[in-house]
Amino acid sequence: MTLQKQMTVDGNEAAASVAYRINEVAAIYPITPSSTMGELADEWSARGDLNIWGRPLTVVEMQSEAGAAGTVHGALQAGALATTFTSSQGLLLMIPNMYKIAGELTAYCMHVAARTLATHALSIFGDHSDVMACRQIGFGLLSSTSVQEAHDFALIAQVASFRSRIPFLHFFDGFRTSHEVAKIEVLSDDDLRALFPEELVRQHRDRALTPDRPVLRGSAQNPDTFFQAREASNPFYDACPAHVAEAMESFAKRTGRKYGLFDYYGHSEAKRVIVLMGSGVETARETVDYLVSKGEKVGVMAVRLYRPFSVEHFIGALPKSVKSIAVLDRTKEPGAIGDPLYLDVIAALREAEDLEQLPFPMPRVIAGRYGLSSKEFSPAMVKAVLDELEARQPRRRFTVGIVDDVTHRSLEYDPEFDIEPDDVVRAVFFGLGADGTVGANKNSIKIIGEETDFYVQGYFVYDSKKSGAMTISHLRFGPRPIRSTYLIKNAGFVACHQFHFLERMNVLDYARPGAVVLLNSPHAAAEVWEKLPRDAQEQMIEKKVKLYVIDGSSVAIQTGMGGRVNTIMQTCFFALSGVLPRDEAIAKIKQSIEKSYARKGDEVVRRNWAAVDLTLENLHEVELPSTATTTRAPMPVVPAQAPEFVQRITAVMMSGKGDLLPVSAFAPDGTWPTGTTQWERRNIAIEIPIWDPEFCIQCNKCAFVCPHAAIRAKVYGKDALTGAPDAFQAVDYKGNDYKGMAYTIQVAPEDCTGCNLCVNVCPGKDKTNPKHKAINMQPLSEHAAIERPNFAFFLDLPELDRTALPRLDVKGTQFLQPLF
Amino acid sequence: MTLQKQMTVDGNEAAASVAYRINEVAAIYPITPSSTMGELADEWSARGDLNIWGRPLTVVEMQSEAGAAGTVHGALQAGALATTFTSSQGLLLMIPNMYKIAGELTAYCMHVAARTLATHALSIFGDHSDVMACRQIGFGLLSSTSVQEAHDFALIAQVASFRSRIPFLHFFDGFRTSHEVAKIEVLSDDDLRALFPEELVRQHRDRALTPDRPVLRGSAQNPDTFFQAREASNPFYDACPAHVAEAMESFAKRTGRKYGLFDYYGHSEAKRVIVLMGSGVETARETVDYLVSKGEKVGVMAVRLYRPFSVEHFIGALPKSVKSIAVLDRTKEPGAIGDPLYLDVIAALREAEDLEQLPFPMPRVIAGRYGLSSKEFSPAMVKAVLDELEARQPRRRFTVGIVDDVTHRSLEYDPEFDIEPDDVVRAVFFGLGADGTVGANKNSIKIIGEETDFYVQGYFVYDSKKSGAMTISHLRFGPRPIRSTYLIKNAGFVACHQFHFLERMNVLDYARPGAVVLLNSPHAAAEVWEKLPRDAQEQMIEKKVKLYVIDGSSVAIQTGMGGRVNTIMQTCFFALSGVLPRDEAIAKIKQSIEKSYARKGDEVVRRNWAAVDLTLENLHEVELPSTATTTRAPMPVVPAQAPEFVQRITAVMMSGKGDLLPVSAFAPDGTWPTGTTQWERRNIAIEIPIWDPEFCIQCNKCAFVCPHAAIRAKVYGKDALTGAPDAFQAVDYKGNDYKGMAYTIQVAPEDCTGCNLCVNVCPGKDKTNPKHKAINMQPLSEHAAIERPNFAFFLDLPELDRTALPRLDVKGTQFLQPLF
């Protein structure tokens, strides 16, 4: 057993790091959430990183996953060690080649960040529906539950494949594992060399197609011979589980990390057992540990080698005391009697029973579905499943994690059930997509992971709207490996990097009693309380939080950091969270700054250091009053005039509570009303374009180029201006066609993303100051108050009755006249 | 119930005929064995055939099945009634779109001729591996067992889909059903209109995407809502089996043909039951009928609605007496505990047992695999499976139809077991691919099917080598619908349309005692006996066959029919088989000739009629002697010097006995030695090119263009001519480079296909007779005897030692000099 280095990486990097070093070719076509694997391989290859035989990986990007699979097939037949990385629909495109690769008993391991297949809707998130669409092919399927396993199994699966000649699909949960950052023990090149001996590679090379020893592969067969030839592979599948077990044993000998084909955790005399695979195993294991410590006889069975499915190993791993089993599938196969793992478990038990090899009476087995499209799977849900197993008439089919008010198959669970030990630090950060919050948090994890003995975990909840949507960072640090593959509920530290989020959703929901709450606030410490919405005030008081505020933006400006508040907020976190002693933490941040920015020059390092120092001076605790004081009504999520569907569905999703929507909220075929985005004002611009009619040439280019249709132009009769807000601007229309009419360019401040395109194309400018154009970016806060009513008035302006007017002269700039 | 017209068609046409008439769009990309469906749809559309709403189908051929599936998805979303036809890998390419179509609950029915997926080897033949790769998608899967059902279920599946909104994949066995010709009752347009009411179409139209009533479909969802939305479709799947049952009931009311979701046949107190789907059901049903008549308590359960799988209907359809069940899957999923239907049956039984809804004690269930890649599935195999169920320790996993000497999972069966009733006429015809035998037999079936009350069945065994390979036509006619979905073993009529087949394989194996054997023989009746190989003589005597011969080719020449012997051999069949009274049969053939050829003019009709008449004069019975007389040794299938693999494997396959090869004969990964085709002399040319050196300009173009490399050129030292056969031709080499050497162009008569390309390109000609070239096609029979030894000698000529000779002058025609 060799001492292993540690590193803090996400699941994709953990898997790719091994795959890169033990292969020669990767044919890729990146697809979320596996993209990172392909991109890293490409980057490392371009940089000249070497595999364990001293050569960089050859990375080939194809036209689609179908081509990638074909390239892999060809490379393998030529005797190369080839791999690929994919997910979801990408995996579906590989199926035809996978049948060939398996049929030809090709040593090969591919890596899949398991992801939802598009059905009634696309989802980029994680579940096992893609992998399950491949279970019939004849690949070995090895399932990782954590970042560490994604690293370890990337090796074990490949070794098992080269030993057994059964190709392997190694998979882990998309996002939950692929994007979770954790501290893992790293397999060194020497480990890889020791566990993946050259002899296996030589055997693979010997099977290659080569003109030197020509054989034919890929023939066509007729009914006379195909069936017999197909059965000839049986011994390889029969032997495969033993090869995997051997690969796991050698692995354990060298690394100390022990894995089985099926691993049982829990009470040695458990009566109730959950069977599942993927990241949910970690949560189930943590929950079972907790319940066992409370005296419950429960357990969890982790399925690692799903194909070939070894009935003998499965039965052997179950505790003999088992009375009932809940099989949890993270996929949905409509029309099947049950989802795939359930069918396998039933068959395994029946076979063993029938052969009189079942060392206990036939247990009751029920089947549940969980976690589709990365739906949260928490200890509370694990407990609900175990509770269901105790019911006199447990539901034979259930879902968990949703409210099914249509077919009533969902289990209830107690959302308050919390089992996390106190010595694990939990922190939650609310940021804006692309505002640097996630990056800063990844940095914090790396500091803690690499500079302390703590185990760490970082998980980042993105909206698929990407840039400009909310991100929530979930960070855990603790003395033991962290198995909590679910979101943080009761955080000891809650940071809100965007003050206006407080209006939109209750970030205090995430705080446990006594938590530290950090707000980046444009308001001074003395004034901030009054600016808080009432429900935030109430929760703060109720939970007795410690409230800290900092005007991060002003510190950034003072220290020459521009708009970048990352380092500042990160410093606050270290200062307040107590993960590290404050001085030590500051020193580590400064070290980290030096490491990151040294090559950008001393000045940048100095500025960042200054920001760190100034941060602490500007970080203020706010004394909580004893009662809530805000009287203004909370801003509604959507205006009262929004349609019923938007009120009932969209608004709930917008306020971050979409998980609470029941099944009946959704059309069964994925149909959605159109035009709902108009009610989903994102309000993400920091600066918006402001119209200066004096210099406007009325070309309408700004309205034409706006990618979000947030700038609009109208020509209208001047009588319509009656009742206009004071600040509403209008000028005479310049064209001859609508002589005497008024003209307005108006921005919709809530729709603008601040992209600046309008300013770039604007040809109208103040000749005395060419930087001042007819459209100019200005801070939103100064203008929002007037621009919102202006836009509302603008929207109500009557449409031109074009039929009553002369035809538009479609010439020159006028063809740009929008129809709005 | 309306009276239905009958027609004699294959499964593809049966399905396409319905699909065409109840759809508006077909997006196709033809793939064997479903091609016919797409091609017919295309042909009918081009011809202007109308659907039941009076319009032709719009047929769109895409770049692949992926595009076809996308086109279908789009058409459906636009409210059109769309369909497609596919198989095998083609179906795999449709999977991504199928997930969308199902997720959106789209009324849609596609038709699949189920076919083997390529694994260790490609196979164009039939099994369920393609359909099973789609069982997780959420499509309804409805399985047809016969040509009649392919017709009926094409309607039922579509009606069920439009009632339930679950898209359907209707499938039947590739080749066995898709290419079987049978007499069926035809659904009229009125039937289709009555059973597929416009109301269902209107509902589909109402769900279309249209700018008039805009909705969004195909959105992206995040973890907050995807899972709930996915569960919203449950009620549709729950209700689907009832919709199918209703569609079947309405169907039965109108047509009298009754189907259930699961149909049980056999003894009402059966103890042993086989569960399967597809064409094997027919054979199993026939066998069960036979065994029940012998007093055995056995039964068969036909699975028709495989998805959604209704546990309730399945359990309800089983006889309460059942003690043991054999589930037969026509697919192989390596690494799974069992193949898919087996897993489902196990789960269904366990569920019912656990819910105390199993009306009998838990039966023993074993799992078998059969019929991969159209491997024969016969009554003998059905019996072997039922026998295995009686064993005290039946094999839990078995194969049937092969000899597995590697993992020893195959059941033994009695190949002599025969249950076919005597009143079914069975006839087998051996022909050459593209020689017209299959066409003539299809014509005979149509005559009998349409002109008599007999039910008919025609099945045609092709080699995937297609043109020039052997075809075996299996024809049955009888008073009841024919359920024998297996090849004929004991035929009452055996016709060999190519005399030389007798040397290659024993066609007498197919003859039952007393059978009529018809030979197309170039030898006169008085001489033919001596020309027969000894084993044919022996079997003829042993089986007491009635031997008839005709020199079909000479009759064809005499009546101006050229080389076409189809009509002649067909006439012999009718004259001898006794399917119809001879005179009546002759009249029907003549009618049929008139129908087919009337538009080609009276002369053609007259010639054909004359051929019919002359046929009977030239058809002679041969009196069998009491003992075999031939003493010459049978020609070996491959020469003695062929390598061991060719002797052991290829030769067996060449002699039509590949089915007997055991599993151990095959490399487990599909690897095959190269160069085996050189031992597989096809001998299919009627004429071969003969070299006339006098006019040869030594350009080598003939050798260059030959697509089968059957013409070769050599330059060699004249001393090598020592020992040349007398007929071996050599001339002086004309070039300057190899001055004084000899030159020969030689044809390999056994490899030549008679394509004539060499003659077309030959520039050397006799100026006095320009039709006479340096290469001329001449009848093989006149030359084979000399050309075979010539070619053997030619092959042995020494290779030029090019290094010792001046470099080739790469100029003019000389660049064509082959390296051979």
Side-chain angles (χ1 to χ4, degrees), chain A residues 356-401:
Chain A
E356 296 177 6
Q357 290 167 358
L358 195 64
F360 41 78
M362 190 68 169
R364 157 176 285 164
V365 186
I366 62 175
R369 185 178 304 125
Y370 73 106
L372 295 194
S373 175
S374 289
K375 174 68 75 184
E376 181 72 344
F377 182 62
S378 68
M381 297 172 200
V382 174
K383 183 168 183 301
V385 172
L386 288 166
D387 288 349
E388 187 69 16
L389 279 178
E390 259 191 338
R392 216 150 50 91
Q393 288 294 337
R395 265 176 271 203
R396 297 202 53 81
R397 289 291 174 281
F398 62 85
T399 51
V400 65

Side-chain angles (χ1 to χ4, degrees), chain B residues 776-811:
Chain B
N776 302 285
M777 296 305 286
Q778 297 185 17
L780 173 67
S781 53
E782 297 170 21
H783 290 278
I786 53 170
E787 293 295 331
R788 281 196 189 107
N790 283 353
F791 184 66
F793 178 78
F794 177 85
L795 275 184
D796 283 342
L797 286 176
E799 291 289 324
L800 270 187
D801 178 2
R802 292 170 198 282
T803 56
L805 286 162
R807 272 179 59 96
L808 261 181
D809 176 19
V810 185
K811 262 196 320 215

Side-chain angles (χ1 to χ4, degrees), chain A residues 737-753:
Chain A
D737 36 14
Y738 298 142
K739 212 80 187 164
M741 311 284 278
Y743 176 85
T744 295
I745 290 279
Q746 178 66 50
V747 66
E750 293 157 311
D751 292 334
C752 175
T753 67

Side-chain angles (χ1 to χ4, degrees), chain A residues 524-770:
Chain A
E527 293 152 24
V528 76
W529 181 256
E530 290 303 326
K531 303 290 184 187
L532 294 174
R534 188 173 177 98
D535 59 349
Q537 288 182 336
E538 283 171 352
Q539 278 201 66
M540 284 180 180
I541 292 165
E542 188 198 324
K543 292 187 173 176
K544 297 194 176 119
V545 304
K546 293 187 184 198
L547 176 62
Y548 292 85
V549 297
I550 183 166
D551 184 352
S553 308
S554 105
V555 174
I557 289 162
Q558 282 176 59
T559 50
M561 300 276 288
R564 306 278 299 167
V565 299
N566 307 358
T567 307
I568 295 154
M569 298 309 291
Q570 191 187 2
T571 304
C572 294
F573 163 66
F574 276 107
L576 297 172
S577 68
V579 183
L580 288 173
R582 184 184 284 214
D583 291 345
E584 197 184 321
I586 301 296
K588 297 288 187 197
I589 295 177
K590 288 190 171 174
Q591 268 176 31
S592 151
I593 287 170
E594 198 166 13
K595 204 154 73 180
S596 304
Y597 298 119
R599 62 197 170 99
K600 293 197 175 175
D602 288 350
E603 177 59 17
V604 174
V605 173
R606 202 200 48 73
R607 263 193 231 148
N608 272 279
W609 282 16
V612 170
D613 293 332
L614 203 58
T615 294
L616 298 184
E617 288 169 30
N618 283 274
L619 179 61
H620 302 291
E621 185 165 0
V622 177
E623 209 63 43
L624 299 192
S626 56
T627 51
T629 53
T630 300
T631 52
R632 70 187 152 88
M635 206 162 85
V637 181
V638 294
Q641 70 269 33
E644 184 267 346
F645 180 89
V646 170
Q647 301 277 2
R648 194 165 50 84
I649 314 288
T650 314
V652 178
M653 292 166 66
M654 283 170 65
S655 56
K657 300 201 182 298
D659 283 303
L660 302 178
L661 288 168
V663 171
S664 66
F666 303 93
D669 60 359
T671 301
W672 208 257
T674 54
T676 60
T677 47
Q678 69 186 287
W679 305 103
E680 194 172 350
R681 301 297 183 200
R682 298 172 70 205
N683 263 317
I684 59 172
I686 307 294
E687 294 188 313
I688 58 169
I690 297 299
W691 183 46
D692 188 340
E694 188 182 344
F695 305 107
C696 178
I697 64 168
Q698 302 185 5
C699 69
N700 295 335
K701 275 187 182 161
C702 53
F704 185 69
V705 299
C706 178
H708 291 79
I711 298 189
R712 301 180 183 190
K714 263 193 188 176
V715 180
Y716 50 92
K718 287 181 176 162
D719 50 345
L721 282 167
T722 317
D726 290 347
F728 189 79
Q729 302 194 85
V731 292
D732 284 344
Y733 179 62
K734 291 185 174 174
N736 289 325
D737 36 14
Y738 298 142
K739 212 80 187 164
M741 311 284 278
Y743 176 85
T744 295
I745 290 279
Q746 178 66 50
V747 66
E750 293 157 311
D751 292 334
C752 175
T753 67
C755 75
N756 212 29
L757 209 50
C758 49
V759 177
N760 285 343
V761 299
C762 178
K765 55 182 80 125
D766 179 354
K767 276 172 194 135
T768 64
N769 174 16

Side-chain angles (χ1 to χ4, degrees), chain A residues 205-331:
Chain A
R205 300 258 200 260
D206 285 348
R207 291 188 294 263
L209 291 178
T210 159
D212 296 337
R213 284 169 281 111
V215 292
L216 173 67
R217 221 167 276 146
S219 64
Q221 287 183 333
N222 282 346
D224 56 346
T225 57
F226 184 96
F227 190 0
Q228 298 98 300
R230 186 90 175 105
E231 293 296 316
S233 65
N234 288 345
F236 293 82
Y237 285 93
D238 293 347
C240 184
H243 284 298
V244 178
E246 279 166 36
M248 286 173 163
E249 273 160 37
S250 319
F251 186 90
K253 258 187 215 147
R254 186 164 176 106
T255 67
R257 293 194 292 284
K258 287 185 184 132
Y259 302 109
L261 308 190
F262 299 90
D263 279 323
Y264 173 78
Y265 308 102
H267 200 287
S268 60
E269 291 177 5
K271 294 184 169 175
R272 289 170 287 145
V273 174
I274 289 179
V275 177
L276 80 173
M277 60 185 164
S279 64
V281 166
E282 299 286 294
T283 296
R285 187 173 162 180
E286 192 185 70
T287 312
V288 159
D289 283 348
Y290 174 87
L291 295 173
V292 168
S293 78
K294 302 286 173 197
E296 297 206 40
K297 292 187 171 174
V298 294
V300 58
M301 173 81 104
V303 176
R304 301 196 183 288
L305 183 67
Y306 180 55
R307 289 283 183 276
F309 193 106
S310 169
V311 172
E312 182 194 336
H313 284 89
F314 175 74
I315 299 294
L318 280 171
K320 298 202 183 5
S321 49
V322 63
K323 297 278 176 261
S324 59
I325 294 175
V327 183
L328 299 185
D329 268 287
R330 198 163 200 162
T331 188

